[in-house]
Amino acid sequence: MLLEIDRVEKSYATGDGMLPVLRGVSLGLEAGRSLALTGESGSGKSTLLHLAAGLDAPDAGAIRVHGRDIAGLGDTARAALRRDTIGLVFQQFNLIPSLDAGANLAFQARLAGRHDAALVRDLAGRLGLADFLRRYPEQLSGGQQQRVAIGRALAARPALVLADEPTGNLDEATGDAVLDLMLALVAEQGAGLLLVTHSPRLAARCDARAVLRAGRVA
Amino acid sequence: MRRAALAALLSHWRARPLQLAMLVVGLALATALWSGVQAINAEARASYAEAAATLGQDRLARLVPADAAHIDEADFVALRRAGWRVAPVLEGRMRLGGERVTVMGIDPLTAPPQAGLAALTEGDGLAGFTTPPGRGFAAPETAAELAAADLEIAPARGIAPGIVIVDIGIAQTLLDAPGRLSHLQVHPDQPAARADLAAVAPHLEQRPPDDAGELARLTDSFHLNLTAFGFLSFAVGLFIVHSAVGLAFEQRRPVFRTLRALGLPGRSLMVLLVAELAALALLAGALGVALGYGVAAVLMPGVAATLGGLYGAEVAGSVVLRPEWWLSGLAIALGGTLAAAARDLWRTARLPVLAAARPRAWALISERRLALQLGAAVVLALVAVVLARVGGGLIAGFTMLGALLLAAALALPVLLYAVLRAAQALARGPVAQWFWADTRQQLPGLSLALMALLLALAANIGVGTMVSSFRLTFTGWLDQRLAAELYVTARSDAEAEAIRDWLAPRTEAVLPIWYVEGELAGRPGRVYSVADHGTYRDHWPLIDAGDAPWERVAAGEGVLVNEQLARAAGLWSGDGRLDLPGGPELPVVGVYSDYGNPQPQAMLGLDSFTRHYPDAPQRQHGVRAPPGAVPDLAAGLRDRFDLPAPNVTDQAEAKRISLAVFERTFTVTRALNVLTLGVAGVALLASLVTLSGMRLAQLAPVWAAGLGRARLARLELWRALALAGFTALAALPVGLVLAWVLLAVINVEAFGWRLPMHVFPADWVRLGALALVTGALAAAAPALRLARIAPAQLVKVFAHER
């Protein structure tokens, strides 16, 4: 199993006390498969994705990547996991503003020591970014920025791609095109994809679907 | 409506207490250094005014010798008989009870009421005042210092510190000046039928009341120097204010927009913002003035010692809280804040209601802005060059300095931008590339603080180079100038003659150091005698000389003048001629360095001197003797003539005293430099703390991509070190140019001497290390915060729902 989420719980402190967000969620994702995670706002989708990426730690339960529980890992080990195994795509793109599109595209692959110039060139071409590589994020449109973010996640050939509303800021046509590309690239690389989305239409294009409701898998 | 709007505006500071603290601390520090310097200046000037007012000199006209050192008592008698209502005054410096004081002798019976003596001599005080051994009056603190003096000194108000007032007869005895007067005070009411001054005493001339005081004029350059450095510190502080206010305005743009959209008129918004700034300025200003009082209290004794050593000015060593500098401190804080915020206020006034907030844009680079900044720097540098070529005077010198420093500060971000771009191009790994690129992106947010650091470092290098060059030259010069092994001062001419006779068979030479005071080229100065002896030829360096200068001086065919006089009056060997007070006009045959002395001075051959000034005191001598014999000679002199310890000084002691005066001269400047560096450190800390709050959005993706928090924190530290290091490197040439301006322009204008410039690379290394420590300290807290930040905080950057 590539990703195994086992009875995970997570709460956040608020002014009125602890707010439970995840209440014993269990999920699994095989390599080469895609899983859509849907649910209402506040249902805990993004939180679950962040926990899976090792960006945050669960209060209870286990998260295993390639069979290794990441919940108990320290900061450095979790950083290494993200660098070597995971590709993250955020709704707000979160590109590095001080680097141009080309450097952003290659950034994580170089960080992981798996930089492949041919792959980056190929990705840039397929993502329609070849003419914009010298531009800085602020000089790119939303669609272009999101394509750079997807390219950045895939250029490192990660085993697991975690995407949080990757088309949420794009119009429908551009969103469809971007998702098509992402699914194709993930399939080519044999990676697993966990896709957080609001859209039942996009969710339907994944191999499997899980719905979160009030912190539980419905 | 305004109350609700104000609450909305102020809520910004409630949410960002650290930003508010930095703004207040920056402004308070800037105000502290400025008002501290102003307090020192005000205190010193109050002392000068008090000295000028002593005996009503600021209200009474005076009769002074037109070109001689003193007036004969016979002149006073002749004038009284001719109907002139004048009162005699004798003034001189002497050591009393171990302290150097100015003794002022007056005649209580003829003194005008404006002299304010009634309170001193009323009742039975008059008999005690005039009858030997007499009684002196002095300011309470001076009277306390003179408790051990042979003369009874009573405390009295209205007398400047360091002055002792005695009866004229007592003064003539104390100063060993029988029958001599310094000047005559003129009653405001004179009989109409008095004789013409030219007929009775043609060698006297009438001078109007001296309301400013000679000291105030003499010390103007010193105070201007202090003011300039105080202003530099204030300007460095304003960088912090400008930066903090600019960010606060940008962050609150959505609030401005909302308030305007909800119906708050633009004018009301501006009123509220100005009121908010004014309140902050007054709060920080009050803190700053209180801190400034502390700074002044700490520095004042050093300043008083410097003014005493350099100019003979007696200044109280303590600071009194004066309402005028409370007010001026608050005013400068208010003015500085509004000036620093002017651009942002102007932009807000013109802000369209629907303008979007761009808090991140505040920290984004704009190459167009950099180009404009470089243009302004080039223009300012050209202004400095033009002023260096055609400008004259101290104000032009400081303007040049200001233009130069501002040009360097404006050019710094452009230079750093280019360096960081090159570093990024040369970097190989992804982290290194990101590090340099990200550092470049932080530049706009940090540039004001780095500019402040550049100014502080350049001022440190410049002033440090000046002081060290001065010290090197001064000690070398002292070694040459203090050639005699022993210096002896007799208490009277008769005693001096006996000492000369006693010394003659025991020493190699006894060199007279006799002088008279008088006007040289329109300024009060001294004419010294110089004996025809190899000591002078061998040891006195001349910076300008004609043929056989010492021989011509010995023959009475010319004079030597000090550098100050040569520069001020354009008197150089060749065509310069000096009109000696009460003596002939002689050609200038050479110019000698005379560091540490702000007054003009001339040296006349001994024979000519005694011929022209037969009444000059002949009490001080330099003694040439084998060094091994000096201790016995000194002891013998003290035993044989019962001389007080300060009257017999060996060479080492004379050097020690001179060096102590020198060191004190720059104590305040050095202290201000260190404080300015401290302010720059606070500026850097303020900027880094402020930016750290905005950095998460830039750091979170890198963290998410696999760089741990600890590594990111280390990189933040390296970033601050790199920027501080580059800034220190840039400050080096600026500091050296500053040193050159101080040595070649400001010192020449302020003090009248020019010094060779020496460089001290070890000092640069020390200062560079200090800059790195400043950078590391400023970055430590934000870096530590980043290392310990909860991942949840970083995740928030990505999370738009839970």
Side-chain angles (χ1 to χ4, degrees):
Chain A
M1 184 78 73
L2 172 61
L3 172 68
E4 199 177 347
I5 296 168
D6 185 10
R7 288 167 289 169
V8 162
E9 294 178 14
K10 182 73 181 174
S11 301
Y12 288 103
T14 67
D16 300 325
M18 297 303 287
L19 173 71
V21 179
L22 299 175
R23 307 166 190 244
V25 175
S26 296
L27 286 172
L29 176 65
E30 297 283 356
R33 305 279 294 171
S34 58
L35 171 65
L37 192 59
T38 61
E40 295 167 353
S41 292
S43 60
K45 305 186 296 293
S46 292
T47 300
L48 188 62
L49 186 124
H50 294 152
L51 294 176
L55 293 172
D56 206 349
D59 299 334
I63 297 173
R64 285 182 280 274
V65 177
H66 284 314
R68 181 185 180 203
D69 188 359
I70 66 169
L73 295 179
D75 190 53
T76 308
R78 278 196 273 167
L81 172 83
R82 289 196 298 275
R83 195 165 60 227
D84 300 334
T85 311
I86 296 170
L88 276 162
V89 183
F90 301 104
Q91 183 181 358
Q92 294 297 332
F93 328 133
N94 292 104
L95 299 179
I96 298 169
S98 52
L99 298 178
D100 63 24
N104 262 291
L105 205 57
F107 186 73
Q108 189 162 4
R110 297 181 70 196
L111 213 56
R114 287 202 295 268
H115 177 50
D116 178 346
L119 174 63
V120 171
R121 262 198 312 278
D122 178 50
L123 280 172
R126 293 174 68 181
L127 288 163
L129 295 169
D131 295 335
F132 310 113
L133 294 180
R134 303 299 297 166
R135 290 193 187 173
Y136 283 85
E138 69 196 40
Q139 296 168 316
L140 299 174
S141 69
Q144 288 166 336
Q145 287 191 57
Q146 191 59 299
R147 279 181 274 159
V148 175
I150 292 168
R152 178 177 67 182
L154 296 174
R157 297 184 190 278
L160 175 62
V161 176
L162 302 172
D164 187 0
E165 299 278 10
T167 59
N169 279 331
L170 306 178
D171 62 71
E172 198 170 291
T174 311
D176 283 349
V178 164
L179 186 66
D180 285 345
L181 194 56
M182 191 161 67
L183 287 169
L185 291 168
V186 165
E188 276 173 30
Q189 293 184 359
L193 169 67
L194 178 61
L195 174 71
V196 168
T197 180
H198 270 111
S199 162
R201 193 173 55 80
L202 293 180
R205 301 180 60 184
C206 291
D207 300 328
R209 179 179 175 184
V211 180
L212 275 184
R213 191 164 297 137
R216 291 193 177 89
V217 178
Chain B
M1 175 180 71
R2 281 193 180 177
R3 182 174 291 186
L6 186 62
L9 289 172
L10 292 180
S11 64
H12 172 83
W13 300 114
R14 256 202 316 281
R16 293 171 181 81
L18 207 56
Q19 200 178 335
L20 174 65
M22 288 301 163
L23 174 61
V24 172
V25 166
L27 189 56
L29 281 177
T31 311
L33 294 188
W34 170 259
S35 63
V37 164
Q38 291 312 308
I40 289 171
N41 283 346
E43 204 60 47
R45 291 201 172 109
S47 290
Y48 307 150
E50 205 173 19
T54 303
L55 297 183
Q57 290 171 106
D58 56 341
R59 282 159 288 162
L60 294 167
R62 301 194 293 174
L63 293 181
V64 297
D67 57 3
H70 62 263
I71 305 174
D72 281 333
E73 230 168 42
D75 291 323
F76 165 61
V77 175
L79 282 163
R80 290 292 295 195
R81 284 182 180 155
W84 278 78
R85 296 184 66 202
V86 289
V89 177
L90 175 64
E91 193 176 333
R93 296 277 292 168
M94 66 171 295
R95 202 171 277 280
L96 203 61
E99 301 288 330
R100 286 206 54 91
V101 293
T102 297
V103 167
M104 293 189 86
I106 50 112
D107 173 22
L109 301 176
T110 56
Q114 289 82 358
L117 295 173
L120 303 186
T121 55
E122 66 191 2
D124 64 346
L126 186 58
F129 185 72
T130 53
T131 314
R135 180 191 298 145
F137 290 97
E141 61 268 32
T142 307
E145 285 169 6
L146 300 178
D150 295 336
L151 185 71
E152 180 195 341
I153 311 278
R157 304 238 165 258
I159 303 175
I163 292 177
V164 177
I165 293 178
V166 294
D167 178 70
I168 188 97
I170 309 287
Q172 285 174 334
T173 307
L174 286 172
L175 296 168
D176 193 23
R180 284 188 215 158
L181 305 173
S182 300
H183 64 264
L184 299 170
Q185 289 187 319
V186 182
H187 282 247
D189 307 319
Q190 294 288 333
R194 70 187 195 284
D196 191 28
L197 179 65
V200 188
H203 49 285
L204 299 186
E205 64 183 27
Q206 184 163 343
R207 295 258 172 93
D210 184 6
D211 55 354
E214 189 61 43
L215 276 177
R217 278 191 295 274
L218 254 181
T219 52
D220 258 355
S221 323
F222 180 86
H223 293 297
L224 187 58
N225 267 329
L226 269 191
T227 304
F229 280 102
F231 188 72
L232 176 66
S233 307
F234 183 69
V236 167
L238 282 192
F239 276 94
I240 307 177
V241 179
H242 183 67
S243 171
V245 169
L247 176 62
F249 271 58
E250 200 59 57
Q251 286 170 326
R252 288 191 294 182
R253 225 195 249 202
V255 180
F256 300 161
R257 201 181 52 192
T258 306
L259 288 172
R260 294 284 312 278
L262 292 177
L264 184 74
R267 190 185 294 267
S268 297
L269 178 63
M270 292 307 294
V271 168
L272 288 175
L273 287 172
V274 170
E276 177 199 61
L277 283 172
L280 282 173
L282 291 176
L283 168 73
L287 272 175
V289 174
L291 268 174
Y293 175 74
V295 169
V298 170
L299 296 181
M300 196 65 209
V303 174
T306 301
L307 289 167
L310 259 184
Y311 306 98
E314 289 290 342
V315 175
S318 56
V319 187
V320 181
L321 271 174
R322 292 170 196 278
E324 59 266 30
W325 65 263
W326 267 105
L327 287 175
S328 77
L330 291 178
I332 193 98
L334 193 59
T337 306
L338 291 177
R343 192 190 64 174
D344 296 301
L345 283 170
W346 172 249
R347 281 183 181 174
T348 307
R350 299 172 61 206
L351 181 74
V353 177
L354 290 177
R358 299 186 309 137
R360 287 273 301 282
W362 179 82
L364 285 179
I365 202 86
S366 152
E367 290 192 0
R368 187 171 161 270
R369 200 179 81 188
L370 284 178
L372 283 174
Q373 219 165 297
L374 185 63
V378 169
V379 170
L380 282 165
L382 286 175
V383 168
V385 170
V386 169
L387 279 171
R389 289 193 170 274
V390 302
L394 209 51
I395 300 291
F398 276 118
T399 310
M400 179 170 92
L401 215 60
L404 186 78
L405 287 174
L406 202 54
L410 285 172
L412 179 73
V414 187
L415 178 76
L416 288 177
Y417 186 79
V419 168
L420 294 172
R421 193 171 199 160
Q424 186 188 351
L426 291 173
R428 285 290 158 254
V431 177
Q433 278 183 353
W434 166 76
F435 174 81
W436 292 118
D438 190 57
T439 305
R440 192 154 55 98
Q441 204 185 32
Q442 301 313 307
L443 209 49
L446 287 172
S447 64
L448 282 169
L450 292 172
M451 286 154 87
L453 185 63
L454 175 92
L455 291 181
L457 288 171
N460 267 273
I461 293 170
V463 173
T465 304
M466 177 192 75
V467 173
S468 298
S469 294
F470 199 174
R471 186 185 291 113
L472 202 65
T473 310
F474 188 70
T475 42
W477 170 80
L478 265 186
D479 285 342
Q480 292 180 307
R481 174 95 173 234
L482 292 176
E485 283 74 21
L486 198 65
Y487 293 87
V488 188
T489 308
R491 285 162 295 197
S492 67
D493 284 0
E495 186 178 63
E497 197 171 349
I499 289 174
R500 279 198 297 276
D501 291 344
W502 188 83
L503 283 170
R506 294 173 172 83
T507 58
E508 292 167 8
V510 180
L511 306 171
I513 307 173
W514 303 337
Y515 67 88
V516 288
E517 295 187 332
E519 280 202 356
L520 292 171
R523 290 169 58 202
R526 286 180 177 180
V527 179
Y528 274 83
S529 67
V530 56
D532 183 14
H533 193 269
T535 297
Y536 298 105
R537 283 191 196 88
D538 298 343
H539 292 92
W540 277 55
L542 297 179
I543 57 173
D544 170 57
D547 289 335
W550 293 105
E551 287 74 9
R552 292 182 67 193
V553 168
E557 294 169 5
V559 287
L560 297 170
V561 296
N562 68 356
E563 186 185 356
Q564 292 82 312
L565 178 55
R567 289 192 188 280
L571 295 174
W572 301 90
S573 68
D575 53 358
R577 294 185 72 81
L578 179 66
D579 196 3
L580 290 163
E585 187 188 83
L586 286 173
V588 173
V589 295
V591 178
Y592 56 93
S593 301
D594 191 15
Y595 305 122
N597 171 20
Q599 292 186 319
Q601 198 182 86
M603 291 177 67
L604 188 60
L606 185 59
D607 293 341
S608 300
F609 183 87
T610 47
R611 194 165 58 247
H612 293 304
Y613 306 109
D615 298 330
Q618 301 183 347
R619 293 176 208 165
Q620 203 178 355
H621 299 85
V623 179
R624 298 305 315 265
V630 170
D632 288 343
L633 265 181
L637 277 167
R638 288 192 191 105
D639 289 347
R640 172 74 178 77
F641 299 96
D642 194 25
L643 286 171
N647 287 36
V648 183
T649 312
D650 64 18
Q651 193 188 71
E653 176 67 3
K655 278 182 190 166
R656 194 192 62 72
I657 293 169
S658 300
L659 284 173
V661 169
F662 168 82
E663 292 296 343
R664 279 200 303 258
T665 306
F666 295 103
T667 305
V668 182
T669 318
R670 272 197 296 255
L672 279 179
N673 262 327
V674 171
L675 290 172
T676 307
L677 198 57
V679 174
V682 172
L684 201 54
L685 173 67
S687 299
L688 287 171
V689 167
T690 305
L691 280 177
S692 70
M694 306 162 61
R695 292 274 290 141
L696 290 188
Q698 295 157 10
L699 294 174
V702 187
W703 170 72
L707 243 60
R709 287 170 296 169
R711 190 165 179 202
L712 283 175
R714 280 198 300 277
L715 286 171
E716 289 293 286
L717 210 56
W718 279 115
R719 188 187 322 282
L721 286 176
L723 288 173
F726 286 141
T727 304
L729 283 177
L732 182 58
V734 181
L736 291 178
V737 174
L738 175 65
W740 178 83
V741 174
L742 287 170
L743 287 166
V745 181
I746 302 290
N747 266 349
V748 176
E749 294 292 344
F751 301 110
W753 57 67
R754 181 169 182 165
L755 297 155
M757 182 166 148
H758 300 277
V759 290
F760 303 87
D763 287 356
W764 306 342
V765 173
R766 188 182 50 77
L767 202 63
L770 200 61
L772 293 180
V773 170
T774 306
L777 284 177
L784 204 63
R785 209 167 92 181
L786 178 61
R788 291 179 175 171
I789 196 168
Q793 289 289 107
L794 287 161
V795 170
K796 273 185 188 169
V797 173
F798 313 116
H800 301 287
E801 61 166 326
R802 279 180 179 152

